């Protein structure tokens, strides 16, 4: 498997986690590609601007990449914070539609703002890594960090509050959980992760335009989570990796690949309604490996 | 204006002041007033559709009344919302059971310990010693509550898989985990057999003493309520038609007419 595809898969997994976070507290937000686009524009504008200013074109130092990721994540997070209050009052399909509208608004803005390069977008984004392998290692580290945070969340009151809201929002409020605030935190965290991912992706792809954040991408990233499962972080990661790889792996079959891809997205939920990764399968896997946290956690409780 | 603490007339724990609740053309509550004294077990009875659950929803912040207000220790609670009222000290159970079904029994109680679970973020993320000790105390607290409600053996079961009676008790455990001063129980004995009902009655007395609680309870089973409650109020078509000790309520002609007359006595004899 070549490194460029691997990198795309890892980016897909990161975006899937971004969709998973609000879904973890029952919020069907499709805003991830919008925030991804924003993060990418921050990185593209900053790095090309600085490069033009310093006068060294093609490469960019690692610290600059990190700074752009922080700024891209922050801008995305701030937008989410600003709009999250009213938007998250919507539920279910209404929230989904509102977030699709948000992605569209951002896309049109990105097409028409005076500094975002119009339909062509921004070109010649400087490279922090000489080879795709460099990106892969860096993105792998970022994905590991994101997975670790999601795993920790389960042990934290925030993670439990999110799960409670997913199960029954009213009951969650009645045990003292500030449900609007918890939902907002998940939404902002999702936006930050998407923004950070976008900043990294802009460098990797070398150019950035408004197509990065489109309705199509909303559906694709949602498919990652539906396919992989939305209960544990591992589900979206697997979904993101697999469904990003699939169209490329199917390339030999030509135009048929889009049909096959569609079939997988259609049949996946049919055969695995909860997604690939479910509590039962995780437990079975844990038992198979003969260790794992489920067992060690349950041992003291055993009668 | 400041209400100075007055030794001769203690402020009631909760005052319901002329609360009305209208759903379209239906007046579910019609200027209902109540006062709960600290430490009492107060019963709310009345025929189906009388407005009992609606009153619970108003007190616990799930429904905004169309008129009137509630006061907690003399302070209006208007606009606090369900989570705000829980933090004040009001916890409740639901007539139609609202557990976190995909979570385990233990996790349901841990969610109830949400506010006790506050911990510094960095320590929590890294899972340092202080955080783990804090976590250990929470787990111990959860197990204590589960033991009290005879659910300890089921701690790792999914709440959605529990039989009915266990679910009712788990809702009580979850409510108690929020460290309330006032516990609202909406038909906690529904679906239980006579032996379970008797156990539940004793349990409610026990937890009242153990946690120094005030309890407001809705229950259709009149003999149980007569034995359990210090005072009772009767609702009928949204109006409070009686209020007093069980003996007073039992002999109130309006109550006999509206409620006890038919089904109440039949149920009483059935025990
Ligand atoms: N959200 C609502 N919208 C419209 N009508 C409602 C709503 N909640 C309750 N009602 C109506 O208000 C009336 C009182 O209902 P409530 O649930 O408070 O009765 P209850 O005394 O608890 O009855 P039960 O003993 O059957 O539980 C009923 O006629 C009910 O249909
Ligand atoms: Mg009711």
């Amino acid at each position: 498997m070549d490194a460029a595809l691997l990198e795309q898969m890892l980016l897909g997994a990161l975006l899937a986690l971004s969709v998973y976070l609000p879904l973890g507290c029952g919020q069907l937000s499709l805003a991830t590609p919008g925030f991804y686009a924003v993060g990418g524009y921050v990185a593209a504008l900053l790095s090309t601007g600085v490069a033009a200013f310093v006068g060294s074109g093609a490469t960019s130092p690692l610290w600059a990449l990190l700074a752009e990721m922080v700024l891209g994540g922050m801008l995305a997070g701030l937008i989410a914070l600003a709009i999250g209050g009213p938007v998250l009052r919507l539920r279910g399909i209404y929230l989904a539609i509102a977030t699709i509208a948000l992605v569209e608004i951002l896309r049109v803005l990105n097409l028409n703002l005076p500094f975002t390069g119009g339909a062509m977008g921004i070109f010649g984004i400087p490279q922090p890594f000489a080879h795709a392998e460099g990106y892969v290692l860096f993105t792998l580290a970022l994905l590991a960090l994101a997975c670790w945070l999601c795993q920790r969340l389960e042990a934290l009151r925030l993670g439990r509050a999110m799960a409670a809201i997913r199960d029954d929002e009213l009951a969650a409020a009645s045990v003292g959980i500030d449900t609007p605030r918890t939902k907002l935190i998940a939404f902002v965290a999702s936006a930050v992760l998407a923004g950070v991912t976008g900043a990294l992706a802009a460098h990797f792809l070398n150019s950035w335009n408004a197509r990065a954040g489109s309705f199509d991408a909303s559906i694709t990233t949602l498919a990652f989570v539906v396919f992989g499962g939305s209960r544990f972080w591992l589900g979206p990661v697997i979904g993101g990796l697999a469904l990003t790889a699939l169209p490329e792996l199917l390339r030999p079959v030509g135009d048929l690949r889009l049909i096959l891809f569609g079939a997988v997205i259609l049949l996946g939920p049919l055969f695995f309604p909860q997604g690939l990764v479910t509590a039962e399968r995780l437990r079975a896997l844990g038992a198979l490996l003969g260790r794992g946290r489920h067992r060690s956690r349950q041992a003291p409780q055993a009668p | 204006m400041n209400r100075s603490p007055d030794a001769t007339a203690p402020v009631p724990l909760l005052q319901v002041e002329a609360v009305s609740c209208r759903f379209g053309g239906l007046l579910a509550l019609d200027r209902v007033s109540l006062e709960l004294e600290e430490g009492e077990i107060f019963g709310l009875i009345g025929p189906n559709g009388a407005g009992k659950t609606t009153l619970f929803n108003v007190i616990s912040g799930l429904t905004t009344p169309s008129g009137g207000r509630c006061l907690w220790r003399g302070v209006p609670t208007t606009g606090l919302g369900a989570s705000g009222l829980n933090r004040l000290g009001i916890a409740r159970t639901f007539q139609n059971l609202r557990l976190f079904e995909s979570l385990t029994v233990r996790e349901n109680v841990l969610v109830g310990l949400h506010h006790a679970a506050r911990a510094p973020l960095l320590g929590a993320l890294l899972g340092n010693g202080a955080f783990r000790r804090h976590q250990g105390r929470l787990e111990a607290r959860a197990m204590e509550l589960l033991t009290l409600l005879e659910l300890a053996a089921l701690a790792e079961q999914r709440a959605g898989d529990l039989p009915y009676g266990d679910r009712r008790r788990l809702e009580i455990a979850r409510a108690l985990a929020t460290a309330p001063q006032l516990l609202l129980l909406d038909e906690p004995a529904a679906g239980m057999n006579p032996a379970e009902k008797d156990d539940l009655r004793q349990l409610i007395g026990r937890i009242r003493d153990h946690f120094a609680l005030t309890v407001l309870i809705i229950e259709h089973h009149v003999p149980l309520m007569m034995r359990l409650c210090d005072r009772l109020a009767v609702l009928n078509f949204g109006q409070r038609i009686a209020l007093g000790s069980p003996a007073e309520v039992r002999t109130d002609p309006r109550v006999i007419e509206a409620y006890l007359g038919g089904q109440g006595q039949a149920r009483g004899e059935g025990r």
Side-chain angles (χ1 to χ4, degrees), chain A residues 108-162:
Chain A
V108 172
L109 269 181
N110 288 332
L111 266 178
N112 294 300
L113 283 175
F115 49 84
T116 47
M120 306 296 279
I122 297 167
F123 285 97
I125 299 169
Q127 296 299 304
F129 304 107
H131 305 286
E133 284 79 5
Y135 278 104
V136 167
L137 285 181
F138 186 82
T139 313
L140 206 54
L142 182 65
L143 180 61
L145 178 70
C147 290
W148 177 75
L149 282 171
C150 289
Q151 171 68 37
R152 283 304 297 164
L153 206 53
E154 267 186 54
L156 305 187
R157 70 198 275 275
L158 175 64
R160 280 196 300 267
M162 285 169 58

Side-chain angles (χ1 to χ4, degrees), chain A residues 148-149 152-153 155-158 160-161 163-179 181-182 231 280 297-298 301, chain B residues 62 82-83 86-87 92 94 98-103 106 110-112 114-115 117-119 121 124-127 131 135 138 143 156 174 178:
Chain A
W148 177 75
L149 282 171
R152 283 304 297 164
L153 206 53
L156 305 187
R157 70 198 275 275
L158 175 64
R160 280 196 300 267
I165 292 173
R166 181 192 61 206
D167 273 14
D168 190 330
E169 185 168 345
L170 215 109
S174 82
V175 294
I177 292 171
D178 187 340
T179 52
R181 183 163 176 269
T182 307
R231 277 306 157 91
E280 291 74 38
R297 202 166 62 183
Q298 280 178 9
Q301 251 88 39
Chain B
L62 294 179
S83 69
N86 178 262
R87 267 168 281 168
R92 69 170 292 173
F94 294 89
R98 308 192 73 136
L99 289 168
F100 306 123
E101 300 211 340
S102 78
L103 305 186
R106 185 180 57 90
L110 282 175
V111 173
H114 186 70
H115 280 278
R118 194 172 282 280
L121 183 65
L125 274 179
L126 298 175
F131 177 73
Q135 214 50 12
L138 287 179
M143 284 318 284
E156 296 305 326
R174 183 182 70 183
T178 68

Side-chain angles (χ1 to χ4, degrees), chain A residues 78-93:
Chain A
L78 283 174
I79 295 173
L81 196 62
I83 62 160
V87 166
L88 289 171
R89 253 180 252 157
L90 301 170
R91 269 161 234 281
I93 198 75

Side-chain angles (χ1 to χ4, degrees), chain B:
Chain B
M1 194 184 69
N2 253 330
R3 188 188 288 260
S4 60
D6 188 343
T8 53
V11 181
L13 184 69
L14 179 80
Q15 289 157 279
V16 176
E17 280 187 354
V19 163
S20 298
C21 210
R22 181 177 285 283
F23 298 115
L26 178 86
L27 195 55
L29 290 175
D30 185 4
R31 283 162 295 148
V32 171
S33 296
L34 292 176
E35 291 192 352
L36 298 191
E37 302 301 335
E38 212 157 347
E40 72 178 330
I41 298 184
F42 191 105
L44 199 56
I45 57 177
N48 291 113
K52 305 178 297 293
T53 298
T54 305
L55 184 59
F56 266 31
N57 289 343
V58 169
I59 294 173
S60 62
L62 294 179
T63 300
T64 313
S66 33
R69 59 178 190 171
C70 300
L71 296 102
W72 177 256
R73 297 187 187 282
V75 182
T77 63
T78 314
L80 275 183
S83 69
L85 282 162
N86 178 262
R87 267 168 281 168
L88 265 192
I90 301 176
R92 69 170 292 173
T93 65
F94 294 89
Q95 180 173 357
N96 310 316
L97 289 166
R98 308 192 73 136
L99 289 168
F100 306 123
E101 300 211 340
S102 78
L103 305 186
T104 65
V105 168
R106 185 180 57 90
E107 285 166 338
N108 267 269
V109 178
L110 282 175
V111 173
L113 289 165
H114 186 70
H115 280 278
R118 194 172 282 280
L121 183 65
L122 192 65
L125 274 179
L126 298 175
N128 66 7
F131 177 73
R132 284 204 304 276
R133 280 191 297 280
H134 181 64
Q135 214 50 12
R137 282 195 298 274
L138 287 179
E139 299 275 355
R141 181 100 191 90
M143 284 318 284
E144 237 173 73
L145 286 165
L146 289 177
T147 308
L148 184 71
L149 285 136
E150 292 153 24
L151 291 165
L154 305 173
E156 296 305 326
Q157 296 237 2
R158 244 175 50 102
D161 297 339
L162 293 184
Y164 207 66
D166 291 337
R167 292 187 190 210
R168 290 242 172 252
R169 275 180 290 124
L170 178 55
E171 267 209 336
I172 298 177
R174 183 182 70 183
L176 287 174
T178 68
Q181 296 160 54
L182 172 63
L183 180 62
L184 311 178
L185 300 172
D186 197 345
E187 304 200 17
M192 290 186 173
N193 63 37
E196 286 177 318
K197 280 187 179 161
D198 209 49
D199 285 348
L200 184 78
R201 182 177 57 77
Q202 292 176 17
L203 179 75
I204 292 169
R206 266 210 313 280
I207 56 182
R208 189 260 305 256
D209 299 340
H210 190 276
F211 296 98
L213 280 178
T214 309
V215 179
L216 178 58
I217 175 172
I218 298 173
E219 185 49 60
H220 281 293
H221 193 67
V222 175
L224 182 147
M225 293 292 269
M226 292 288 167
R227 290 184 68 183
L228 176 65
C229 297
D230 302 311
R231 287 197 300 154
L232 285 164
V234 185
L235 284 186
N236 194 28
F237 293 115
Q239 292 183 326
R240 198 200 77 195
I241 58 167
L243 174 76
S245 69
E248 287 164 352
V249 166
R250 201 195 327 245
T251 53
D252 191 310
R254 293 185 65 187
V255 178
I256 293 170
E257 188 197 322
Y259 184 67
L260 295 178
Q263 66 194 124
Q265 264 170 12
R267 286 193 189 189
E269 251 96 86
R271 278 273 280 123

Side-chain angles (χ1 to χ4, degrees), chain A residues 38-53:
Chain A
V38 166
Y41 273 109
V42 168
L45 287 169
L46 282 178
S47 58
T48 51
V50 170
F53 184 71

